[in-house]
Structures are given as C-alpha cells and as structure tokens.
Amino acid sequence: MSPKEREKLIRRIWIVITYVVLITFALVYLMPFIRSLVASFMTWAQASRYPPEWIPHPFTLENYEKLFRLELFPRWIRNTALYAGLIVAGNILFASMAGYAFARLKFPGRDAIFSALLSLLMIPMFVTLVPNYIIIYKLGLIDNIFGLSLLGLTNVSSIFLMRQYFMSLSNEIFEAARLDGCGPIKAFFYIALPLARPALGAVAVYQFLGSWNAFIGPLIFLRSPENFTLPVGLSFAFQRSMWTEYTPIIAGSLVASAPTIILFLVLNKYLIRGIVITGGKG
C-alpha cells in the first residue's frame, strides 16, 4: 500500500469514527423525545412499566382524543401564540434600539450602563419573581396575557446580541450617512435596521422558543383557566387531586412542541448566526 493510499484509508477511518460518535450523541439527545412519542400512544399502565417497553400494546389514540376534547385547548394555543408574538415583537423593537444605542451612539456612562445591564444575566430568574409580581399587581395586570408579556418585552441577551451585530457593521456606512445629513435616528431606521435582518431573525427565534415553552411565569401570573397558556393549561387539565394523567400531558407536549420544531427546521441558520454574532466583535 502506497503512502497516499494509506493516508486516504486513515482519513476514511476517522470519518467513520466521527460519524459513529455523532450518531451516538444524537441518539442520546433524541432518546427523551422518542420515548415521549412512543409513550403518547400507550396507556399509562404500560408507559410506567419498568423496564420500559418500546412498542405500544395496545396501540391507542386515547391520549390525543382526550387532548382534543378539551374545550379550552384552542384558546390555550391562541393565548400562547399571542404571548409569544408580543414577546418577539417587543424584543425586535426595543432590543434593536437599545443595541444600536450601545453600539453606535456616544453618551456619558455608556460602557458602565452596558456592564450593569450585562450583570443582570447573573441574577437567577427566581430572585426577580416577587418584585415583578408586585409591579404587575400594582398595575392591575395579574391574570392578563398583556401584563405577563410586559415582563419579557425586552431581554438583556437580545440587547447584547443586537449590540454585537451593530458593532460588526462598517463605520464607513454610518460616516457616509452622517455626511449626507442623516441623523442617528434616521440612520437606525434606514440603514442599521435593514442590515440587521440576520440578527433580528436570531432574536425572534430565541425569544419565540423561550416564550412558547414558558411555564413558571404563566403559572404565577395567570389565574383563570381561560387565560392559561398551553403548558400551564395542559398541567391544569390533567392534574387530579391524588394523581396526574401523564400520558395526555405527554401527547399535549408533543403537539405543543410542533411549532418550535418547525421553526427550528426552517430558521436554524439564524440560531447558528446568533451564536456566531454573540462570539464576535466585543
């Protein structure tokens, strides 16, 4: 065997090893989803058996039938979509403006304010629950989707991501705009914002995934079943006084995850772009 053939053989072996490792890790990460999918077609008696069984016997659609018989199920989907839509719209608008200000405008204490803002990332969410509850209560917006959305209209990580993107844009573009008489506000709306579509897409995807699956916030701030979001509604519908119907909740979780899976498949390039932006120019 010539050295060139040996080198080609070694390269093929490494490719095979790489694929085996990647497929193994993919199966490990996919296992909970696969298990949920299988369990959604089982009775709870079979789904809870140990060692776990992987073939539904009998195969049943009862869990999905229970789910779609829920009178409030369409309303919970609508509430969740409204909540996620408000969060996405708020973050796109406010985070882009804040990111532009921190990246392109000069004002006293800019870097200190931005550092203080970043320090908020270190504070656990549970620490802010009580102050946020008091604020929303004083505003009379408890048990209101719009009141709940107020807390997430902007996000520090979204501001950070937008700032990083605006800093990566060429200075010459803004200098040319300034020489043509374009002020900071006009430069934001006519130059910076149209150029920031990849970053805005990343912000939209991140925030949609987070708000669609949110549980703790809606659980604390919403009271009426009519106002629940889907994750809280599912828990409410199948929670009994002494036990919980887990298999319909699993089926509901799979249905609820469908929009996020579709969104990820369509827009995953924006998620990757967001990671690249965050690790870029600082």
Side-chain angles (χ1 to χ4, degrees), residues 37-280:
L37 186 64
V38 172
S40 70
F41 296 107
M42 292 178 172
T43 59
W44 174 240
Q46 187 187 12
S48 59
R49 275 180 202 152
Y50 187 83
E53 297 181 6
W54 290 90
I55 299 175
H57 183 71
F59 183 91
T60 177
L61 293 174
E62 187 185 354
N63 299 315
Y64 289 94
E65 288 170 0
K66 282 184 181 177
L67 188 67
F68 290 109
R69 276 201 301 265
L70 290 173
E71 190 181 342
L72 292 174
F73 186 65
R75 184 154 181 163
W76 291 339
I77 292 179
R78 192 194 67 184
N79 290 344
T80 311
L82 177 63
Y83 174 59
L86 288 171
I87 296 290
V88 169
N91 273 272
I92 285 178
L93 181 63
F94 298 123
S96 60
M97 289 196 290
Y100 177 78
F102 283 121
R104 288 291 163 187
L105 303 184
K106 291 182 180 175
F107 52 89
R110 184 189 67 172
D111 294 338
I113 295 171
F114 184 67
S115 298
L117 201 63
L118 284 186
S119 68
L120 295 177
L121 290 172
M122 304 297 118
I123 299 175
M125 183 193 73
F126 300 101
V127 175
T128 60
L129 273 178
V130 174
N132 283 337
Y133 186 87
I134 293 171
I135 291 170
I136 296 299
Y137 177 76
K138 294 287 184 186
L139 290 172
L141 293 174
I142 292 292
D143 197 23
N144 188 308
I145 287 288
F146 293 98
L148 177 64
S149 305
L150 275 180
L151 300 172
L153 286 182
T154 191
N155 184 282
V156 177
S157 58
S158 299
I159 295 172
F160 177 69
L161 194 148
M162 292 307 302
R163 174 186 177 267
Q164 297 301 99
Y165 189 82
F166 286 130
M167 287 183 71
S168 71
L169 297 179
S170 168
N171 288 328
E172 285 74 17
I173 300 173
F174 294 96
E175 189 62 27
R178 191 182 65 79
L179 292 174
D180 285 340
C182 194
I185 297 176
K186 211 170 180 179
F188 169 71
F189 283 107
Y190 288 95
I191 297 172
L193 209 54
L195 290 173
R197 274 180 292 185
L200 292 173
V203 168
V205 173
Y206 280 128
Q207 293 304 322
F208 180 85
L209 295 177
S211 53
W212 185 270
N213 296 315
F215 183 78
I216 297 294
L219 179 68
I220 291 174
F221 289 91
L222 301 176
R223 300 278 177 78
S224 310
E226 295 81 16
N227 293 330
F228 284 167
T229 56
L230 193 53
V232 179
L234 288 175
S235 175
F236 167 78
F238 298 108
Q239 195 102 37
R240 306 291 178 246
S241 57
M242 300 295 288
W243 55 289
T244 302
E245 289 187 79
Y246 286 109
T247 41
I249 293 178
I250 291 171
S253 302
L254 288 171
V255 173
S257 66
T260 57
I261 292 171
I262 293 170
L263 196 73
F264 174 77
L265 293 176
V266 175
L267 301 176
N268 70 79
K269 64 179 180 182
Y270 289 118
L271 283 170
I272 297 168
R273 179 71 174 156
I275 295 167
V276 172
I277 293 167
T278 309

